[in-house]
Amino acid sequence: MRRRNRDVGRSRLSWRDLASEAIAGLLARPSRTALTILGTVLGITALVATLGIARTAGSQIVGQFDLLQATSVTVENRTEGFFGSGRQISRIPWDAEARLTRLNGVVAAGTITRVDTEGALVRSVPINDPLGQSEFAIDVYAVSPGLFEAVGARLTTGRFFDAGHDERRDPVAVLGPAAARRLDITRVDQQPAIFVGDTTLVVVGILDDVRREPVLLDAVIVPNGTARSLFRLQAPAKVAIRTELGAARLIGEQAPIALEPNDPASLRVIVPPEPRAVQEAVESDVNTLFLVLGAVALLVGAIGIANVTLVSVLERVGEIGLRRAVGAARRHIAAQFLAESAAMGLIGGIVGASAGVLVVVGVAAAQQWTPVLDLRVPLLAPAAGAVVGLVAGLYPSWRAASLEPVEALRSGM
Amino acid sequence: MSPIVELDGVRRTFPGPPPVEAVRDATLRVDEGDYVAVVGPSGSGKSTLLSIIGCLDRPTGGRYTLTGVDVAELSDGELAALRGRRIGFVFQAFHLLQHRTALENVEIGMLYNGTSRRERRELARAALERVGLAHRLDFPPTKLSGGEQQRVAIARAIAPRPSLLLCDEPTGNLDSKTSASILELFDELQADGLTLMVVTHDPDVSRHARRIVEIVDGVLSEAA
């Protein structure tokens, strides 16, 4: 039976000595070491830059996240043919507003339709002005009362028309601020009248601003019922819906069913892009391609380290024999070559992480983006490099450790 | 005198086919302070005998005790530790690391035997002074002459204060004048109390030894 012989003891190699031997081994052939590390540098750079740029671009989209846009859904009639020039194949019902406000998650909804006035000009004085200086080509829009809230409209003066005006087909109008300025109307307390062709409308309010549908800013806005009776409006063209935050996609699915249960697909729904979905899409698009490239570069780097370490073992057979003769155990030989390959990987990882961060910052600067990088990426990259080096060194160091000292010494130096 | 090396019927057979008996039934005792030359024609088993005595190889038969320790009882790792503490090697090819200074080369001789960094540095410096290279501490081997390189190698071997200095054709790569100075150094080291075994086929070398052991076809015999 073998027992530990007290007179003999064990060979030792401190971590510090191992580190300095490994560094000395690498510095013995500095240019070869540098070239070997290059592969790992490229791989780690590609990985860090990919992750950083993907995250930076993704954050850019999050930065553009807009509360208004995220809660806006629009439903339009689909038309045949290209560019919306063809015949309408569906018809939004007149009670669209009532149908939609019943849906859970809808804050406000209303129809908006451009009224064909057959070229009638709008004026604020009843007389025919032969010079035409008081007549203007102003668009007329028919809306349902809920639209004002759906588009976030605010008034400077007066009031919005309501469902009562709509039902009674009252000849009332709300003016956009630009239209009001052109018509020289600033107050509504005297119930000023405007004339669209020969039709008289009473102005009940003037808008200050809208957050959607900016066409309303320079328009005469009348209730749907009024437009049907005075201008023979056939059908609403579009519905604007404001939803609760986060309900946009759901409403986008439900709205066409509520409006056209027989053929929901005939309506065109415009929903805001899901910010997270966009971010993930960008990240995954950028990621998959470049992560694969980075991984390939890293693999090539690992093969490079393995190759050079193996060559180094074969070149240093004499040194291995000498170290064994002066007391190194097999594990010390293995440890030395593993330490050298791991150090190459580690250095490659550090240099690669730095270069990768520079690439991210450079790209972000060029695009005037804010560079965003998960802190774990540059911190883990050197570790990843070290692991690559360690794995690459496994086979060469096993070869080095399994050399017989007698054979190794005989081969010379 | 206590024995440093005791060979008792040691055999080393390399498995065939056909099996080769490199060392047959060798019996030898080397005492502390001895200076033994092992001579013989090439292929006679000198190197194999040296490998066994140097604990680089194990005998396939018989019993070998180094400073009272039976090597058959030792594991691979313990054998390495025994080499690191008890034996100093001097090779024909010097085996110096080309990219390290003379001082660092000597320190490597104590890297694995538990000597502290500081002690290594002191012992290495002392050993280089002992072989007459105090002025060459920071020189890499490439800037040293052959004789100086072999002196660095000798310093590396003696720095850990081994029980036995094993030299394999130590003057094989040196001219006769340099050889003479190395042999003088061996004489001095022996005078200091070091035990030496030198494998050689050079009669100039063996003439310096106190005892001459001849090996022919693996059979060991002591010359009168």
Side-chain angles (χ1 to χ4, degrees):
Chain A
M1 199 181 82
R2 264 179 195 163
R3 63 191 155 73
R4 172 70 37 77
N5 195 312
R6 259 179 300 138
D7 294 343
V8 178
R10 276 166 75 88
S11 295
R12 278 184 220 113
L13 183 65
S14 72
W15 287 105
R16 193 178 158 195
D17 288 333
L18 173 62
S20 40
E21 287 301 306
I23 290 166
L26 292 178
L27 290 182
R29 293 162 189 83
S31 52
R32 177 198 286 187
T33 303
L35 284 173
T36 309
I37 290 172
L38 199 60
T40 316
V41 170
L42 291 178
I44 295 282
T45 303
L47 289 177
V48 170
T50 301
L51 292 171
I53 289 171
R55 178 58 71 93
T56 300
S59 303
Q60 207 52 34
I61 284 147
V62 173
Q64 287 168 345
F65 175 83
D66 180 345
L67 189 65
L68 174 74
Q69 201 198 344
T71 56
S72 300
V73 176
T74 306
V75 182
E76 290 176 347
N77 282 318
R78 205 186 280 278
T79 49
E80 278 180 345
F82 294 108
F83 309 117
S85 57
R87 188 176 58 86
Q88 281 188 9
I89 57 167
S90 64
R91 198 167 268 193
I92 293 172
W94 287 111
D95 62 346
E97 180 176 324
R99 293 189 191 202
L100 290 173
T101 44
R102 279 199 294 270
L103 295 178
N104 209 355
V106 172
V107 175
T111 64
I112 171 169
T113 316
R114 187 164 181 272
V115 178
D116 183 7
T117 56
E118 289 161 352
L121 297 176
V122 181
R123 59 202 152 86
S124 55
V125 285
I127 52 159
N128 274 313
D129 177 1
L131 295 173
Q133 285 175 342
S134 55
E135 288 186 311
F136 305 94
I138 298 175
D139 287 341
V140 177
Y141 279 87
V143 307
S144 64
L147 182 93
F148 292 113
E149 199 191 339
V151 300
R154 280 176 298 146
L155 288 165
T156 28
T157 181
R159 55 166 298 187
F160 296 124
F161 48 76
D162 57 26
H165 294 111
D166 192 9
E167 274 169 35
R168 292 189 301 270
R169 310 186 166 194
D170 288 343
V172 293
V174 170
L175 296 180
R181 218 167 17 251
R182 282 159 74 179
L183 295 167
D184 203 19
I185 294 172
T186 53
R187 315 170 46 170
V188 296
D189 48 353
Q190 301 287 327
Q191 300 203 312
I194 57 167
F195 306 91
V196 179
D198 296 330
T199 311
T200 308
L201 298 169
V202 175
V203 178
V204 297
I206 299 174
L207 292 180
D208 177 31
D209 198 9
V210 292
R211 301 185 58 193
R212 288 169 64 185
E213 304 295 344
V215 291
L216 296 178
L217 295 176
D218 188 15
V220 173
I221 306 158
V222 298
N224 277 342
T226 310
R228 287 168 76 182
S229 74
L230 297 181
F231 303 111
R232 289 181 297 283
L233 182 64
Q234 295 300 309
K238 184 158 116 176
V239 187
I241 308 168
R242 199 168 106 212
T243 70
E244 304 273 6
L245 191 57
R249 293 197 80 80
L250 179 71
I251 297 303
E253 286 168 21
Q254 293 178 346
I257 300 168
L259 295 172
E260 183 72 295
N262 292 326
D263 189 10
S266 69
L267 294 170
R268 198 155 74 93
V269 181
I270 302 157
V271 293
E274 200 80 6
R276 196 161 3 103
V278 176
Q279 181 183 2
E280 279 165 8
V282 169
E283 284 197 23
S284 71
D285 282 358
V286 180
N287 276 6
T288 38
L289 178 61
F290 284 91
L291 285 183
V292 166
L293 284 177
V296 168
L298 204 54
L299 183 68
V300 172
I303 292 170
I305 290 180
N307 199 19
V308 169
T309 309
L310 191 59
V311 169
S312 172
V313 167
L314 299 178
E315 276 180 356
R316 289 158 71 184
V317 167
E319 176 186 334
I320 294 165
L322 184 268
R323 286 179 188 276
R324 298 278 281 139
V326 297
R330 289 188 195 281
R331 65 178 185 282
H332 297 134
I333 301 298
Q336 163 135 21
F337 285 98
L338 272 181
E340 288 185 17
S341 64
M344 284 197 275
L346 178 68
I347 296 166
I350 292 170
V351 175
S354 315
V357 169
L358 287 180
V359 169
V360 173
V361 171
V363 168
Q367 301 281 343
Q368 300 198 320
W369 288 347
T370 310
V372 181
L373 190 60
D374 192 334
L375 259 186
R376 286 172 297 183
V377 171
L379 291 180
L380 283 178
V387 169
V388 165
L390 204 62
V391 171
L394 283 177
Y395 174 68
S397 52
W398 173 77
R399 282 280 300 266
S402 53
L403 283 170
E404 289 300 329
V406 177
E407 308 289 327
L409 283 167
R410 193 174 297 152
S411 83
M413 234 172 181
Chain B
M1 286 282 190
S2 58
I4 301 290
V5 171
E6 267 189 299
L7 298 177
D8 186 5
V10 162
R11 282 184 306 280
R12 178 64 170 102
T13 308
F14 292 101
V20 178
E21 278 202 297
V23 174
R24 299 178 201 192
D25 208 16
T27 300
L28 177 71
R29 177 182 161 133
V30 178
D31 283 322
E32 199 175 335
D34 258 349
Y35 187 170
V36 181
V38 180
V39 298
S42 51
S44 57
K46 290 197 305 274
S47 294
T48 306
L49 184 69
L50 188 86
S51 297
I52 288 170
I53 294 172
C55 300
L56 293 166
D57 196 6
R58 290 169 193 276
T60 44
R63 187 179 145 92
Y64 169 39
T65 335
L66 177 71
T67 62
V69 177
D70 186 349
V71 299
E73 288 176 3
L74 301 182
S75 70
D76 220 36
E78 286 170 331
L79 212 56
L82 190 67
R83 291 195 293 269
R85 281 153 218 243
R86 303 282 165 83
I87 296 167
F89 290 94
V90 176
F91 307 98
Q92 180 176 4
F94 315 146
H95 282 304
L96 298 175
L97 302 188
Q98 300 301 314
H99 302 277
R100 316 290 282 273
T101 65
L103 192 64
E104 287 171 337
N105 266 290
V106 176
E107 285 177 44
I108 282 172
M110 297 167 280
L111 186 61
Y112 302 95
N113 66 5
T115 315
S116 75
R117 275 174 98 83
R118 196 169 163 184
E119 213 179 335
R120 285 207 298 268
R121 180 123 306 189
E122 283 166 10
L123 289 172
R125 206 181 284 271
L128 280 166
E129 276 168 23
R130 178 69 194 81
V131 300
L133 287 179
H135 57 303
R136 294 278 191 265
L137 297 183
D138 295 324
F139 279 54
T142 43
K143 294 208 174 150
L144 298 175
S145 70
E148 285 173 325
Q149 291 191 45
Q150 192 58 300
R151 279 168 191 270
V152 173
I154 293 166
R156 181 180 62 201
I158 64 172
R161 301 187 178 149
S163 311
L164 176 67
L165 188 64
L166 270 183
C167 310
D168 187 6
E169 302 282 6
T171 59
N173 279 1
L174 303 174
D175 61 51
S176 56
K177 199 178 154 205
T178 318
S179 297
S181 75
I182 294 290
L183 292 174
E184 245 169 69
L185 178 60
F186 283 158
D187 288 343
E188 289 169 30
L189 293 173
Q190 198 249 341
D192 291 350
L194 196 65
T195 310
L196 278 98
M197 282 190 81
V198 181
V199 171
T200 186
H201 59 252
D202 182 350
D204 282 344
V205 177
S206 50
R207 209 170 296 135
H208 281 256
R210 295 280 183 80
R211 293 164 63 193
I212 297 179
V213 173
E214 194 175 19
I215 182 166
V216 177
D217 286 337
V219 179
L220 205 63
S221 60
E222 181 134 12

